[in-house]
Amino acid sequence: MTTLDEIFADDRRNPPSERSLPWEETRDGVTVVVEPKPHWAEDLRAFRLDAREYCYYADWSRCGARARFYGHIDTSGDDLLLKARALIVHEIAEGQRS
């Protein structure tokens, strides 16, 4: 059986535009979790790992920690990772993943 960490690592082998799971990036001492979007979406968002703030991934890619972050009422990067892990655990339990 494949582990959660292996599933996340396998997804990270894809280019960012083809990933289906959130991933961490760190620049200038700031860690964000990038939220994947459907193929038609232009704007990925990067959520601070430990704060309810986000910026646009294009801005993050260009400016790193100097990107402009906006407050978000209920989501942090940690929240995105926890939700993704819970979804995968549920899919494994339902037999949708092996």
Side-chain angles (χ1 to χ4, degrees):
M1 181 190 278
T2 305
T3 68
L4 285 173
D5 291 334
E6 290 170 335
I7 292 169
F8 274 85
D10 186 46
D11 192 63
R12 280 191 303 272
R13 289 186 191 100
N14 296 318
S17 62
E18 296 177 15
R19 294 179 187 172
S20 61
L21 297 172
W23 70 92
E24 289 184 35
E25 289 187 13
T26 301
R27 295 191 183 159
D28 306 320
V30 174
T31 301
V32 298
V33 175
V34 182
E35 176 184 41
K37 291 284 189 179
H39 69 281
W40 47 264
E42 293 181 26
D43 60 338
L44 298 174
R45 293 186 300 177
F47 287 83
R48 284 188 188 253
L49 180 64
D50 58 354
R52 298 190 189 298
E53 296 179 339
Y54 74 96
C55 69
Y56 293 102
Y57 186 67
D59 194 24
W60 170 257
S61 295
R62 189 175 52 255
C63 303
R66 295 184 322 274
R68 181 174 180 183
F69 284 85
Y70 305 92
H72 195 281
I73 193 164
D74 64 358
T75 302
S76 69
D78 192 46
D79 295 332
L80 288 176
L81 291 173
L82 288 173
K83 287 177 188 175
R85 287 182 170 289
L87 177 67
I88 292 169
V89 167
H90 178 74
E91 288 177 355
I92 291 170
E94 294 291 318
Q96 298 171 8
R97 286 193 189 243
S98 54

